[in-house]
């Protein structure tokens, strides 16, 4: 409840909208700063913590709370604006305002597809399989022919047209799973990847995320080919975490 201060002015510091954001907004990890910041601000918007028509915290405050640069924050806000979730207004009373929620075409179908999927289970199982496969490939080493296959799968993802990117990305990950030497793991990964792709089809392709993913792919393949099992596992874990952050932000 509002209380009057010594000057007789209502003090609403106990009820400021920004205080409601504390459970959601937190410093992100360096590896997936863009993806995790996008996840958190999407949660703020989709949970209604800042109602439609009201303003998000100022860029400086948001950047400080998330532990990211204002350049990265602006890229995040641009994604939200492109998705019709916020709008930027100039002037003395400007800022980034949350738009009232309206159901976009196809949103009901999206909700139907997601409703039958335990997203957290899928993401955790995917991470276990992928981190394990990357570690096995690096620890056991790859023959020259297999190393060439992995390099070629990576090369095909570079400069891929957006329409082909997810298919070629899938092939890179499937190749790595196959090369680990466990047919059972490969089969399980193929199944879970099909579900992951269904979920990815429900969210937009973000150029910033794809560029980041490509850097992670390159570092991952280098670690595998160098026999750096710990490095390969850590990079794959970070890579899976970036995808998970986007899916949680848009879909959960």
């Amino acid at each position: 409840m509002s209380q009057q201060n010594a000057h007789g002015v209502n003090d609403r510091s106990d009820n400021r909208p920004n205080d409601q954001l504390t459970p959601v907004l937190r410093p992100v990890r360096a590896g997936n700063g863009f993806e995790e910041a996008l996840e958190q601000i999407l949660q703020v918007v989709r949970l209604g913590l800042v109602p439609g028509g009201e303003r998000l915290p100022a860029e400086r405050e948001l950047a400080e709370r998330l532990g990211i640069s204002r350049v990265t924050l602006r890229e995040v806000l641009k994604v939200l604006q492109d998705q019709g979730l916020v709008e930027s207004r100039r002037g003395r009373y400007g800022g980034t305002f949350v738009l009232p929620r309206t159901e976009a075409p196809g949103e009901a179908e999206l909700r139907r597809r997601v409703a039958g999927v335990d997203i957290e289970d899928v993401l955790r199982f995917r991470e276990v399989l992928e981190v394990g496969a990357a570690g096995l490939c690096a620890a056991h080493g790859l023959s020259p022919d297999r190393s060439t296959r992995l390099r070629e799968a990576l090369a095909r993802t570079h400069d891929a047209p957006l329409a082909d990117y997810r298919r070629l990305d899938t092939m890179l990950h499937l190749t790595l799973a196959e090369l680990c030497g466990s047919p059972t793991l490969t089969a399980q990964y193929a199944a879970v990847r099909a579900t992951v792709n269904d979920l990815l089809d429900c969210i937009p392709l973000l150029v910033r995320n794809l560029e980041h993913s490509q850097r992670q792919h390159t570092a991952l393949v280098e670690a595998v080919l160098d026999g750096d099992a710990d490095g390969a596992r850590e990079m794959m874990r970070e890579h899976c975490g970036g995808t998970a952050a986007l899916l949680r932000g848009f879909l959960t």
Side-chain angles (χ1 to χ4, degrees):
M1 180 178 298
S2 301
Q3 296 180 351
Q4 289 189 337
N5 61 22
H7 301 286
V9 177
N10 283 340
D11 179 3
R12 299 185 58 85
S13 61
D14 59 332
N15 195 33
R16 288 178 300 176
N18 290 3
D19 293 341
Q20 301 172 22
L21 309 188
T22 300
V24 175
L25 296 183
R26 59 197 178 279
V28 301
R29 292 168 292 187
N32 293 309
F34 168 80
E35 291 84 358
E36 291 187 14
L38 179 57
E39 174 191 12
Q40 291 185 37
I41 300 179
L42 275 167
Q43 287 175 342
V44 166
V45 173
R46 296 177 71 244
L47 290 171
L49 299 182
V50 176
E54 294 196 12
R55 184 170 52 188
L56 289 173
E59 284 187 6
R60 181 175 181 178
E61 179 186 345
L62 273 178
E64 288 177 351
R65 294 178 72 162
L66 293 166
I68 59 176
S69 70
R70 293 179 72 170
V71 171
T72 297
L73 176 64
R74 286 168 186 157
E75 291 179 326
V76 169
L77 295 177
K78 178 64 165 55
V79 170
L80 297 180
Q81 187 166 330
D82 290 345
Q83 295 302 303
L85 298 174
V86 303
E87 69 175 4
S88 177
R89 301 177 191 169
R90 297 183 179 276
R92 181 178 179 183
Y93 300 105
T96 301
F97 289 79
V98 176
L99 293 174
R101 288 284 289 156
T102 58
E103 187 167 289
E107 189 167 339
E109 171 62 14
L110 183 153
R111 288 201 306 270
R112 185 192 67 77
R113 290 172 64 180
V114 172
V117 178
D118 185 335
I119 294 177
E120 285 302 321
D121 181 58
V122 169
L123 295 177
R124 288 171 184 162
F125 190 43
R126 181 242 178 145
E127 181 178 332
V128 167
L129 294 177
E130 294 236 50
V131 170
L136 286 171
C137 285
H140 294 170
L142 299 178
S143 68
D145 286 347
R146 291 183 169 219
S147 295
T148 298
R149 281 186 59 197
L150 185 58
R151 287 193 183 96
E152 289 176 346
L154 173 64
R156 283 191 289 271
T157 65
H158 290 308
D159 301 319
L162 284 181
D164 289 338
Y165 184 81
R166 280 187 178 150
R167 178 178 63 84
L168 296 174
D169 172 64
T170 298
M171 292 306 302
L172 171 61
H173 285 264
L174 282 171
T175 298
L176 190 64
E178 180 187 354
L179 294 179
C180 81
S182 170
T184 301
L185 186 151
T186 304
Q188 291 291 321
Y189 177 68
V192 78
R193 180 68 193 216
T195 303
V196 169
N197 281 0
D198 282 344
L199 297 174
L200 288 171
D201 285 343
C202 296
I203 71 174
L205 280 166
L206 306 177
V207 173
R208 167 66 184 267
N209 169 248
L210 299 188
E211 292 172 347
H212 183 209
S213 291
Q214 281 302 101
R215 291 194 295 271
Q216 291 176 327
H217 285 159
T218 300
L220 170 65
V221 169
E222 288 175 354
V224 168
L225 296 178
D226 288 344
D228 180 2
D230 288 341
R233 283 191 290 263
E234 185 55 35
M235 182 51 61
M236 182 62 88
R237 186 174 290 109
E238 182 179 296
H239 182 60
C240 289
T243 303
L246 290 182
L247 290 173
R248 290 187 184 108
F250 278 104
L251 302 180
T252 62

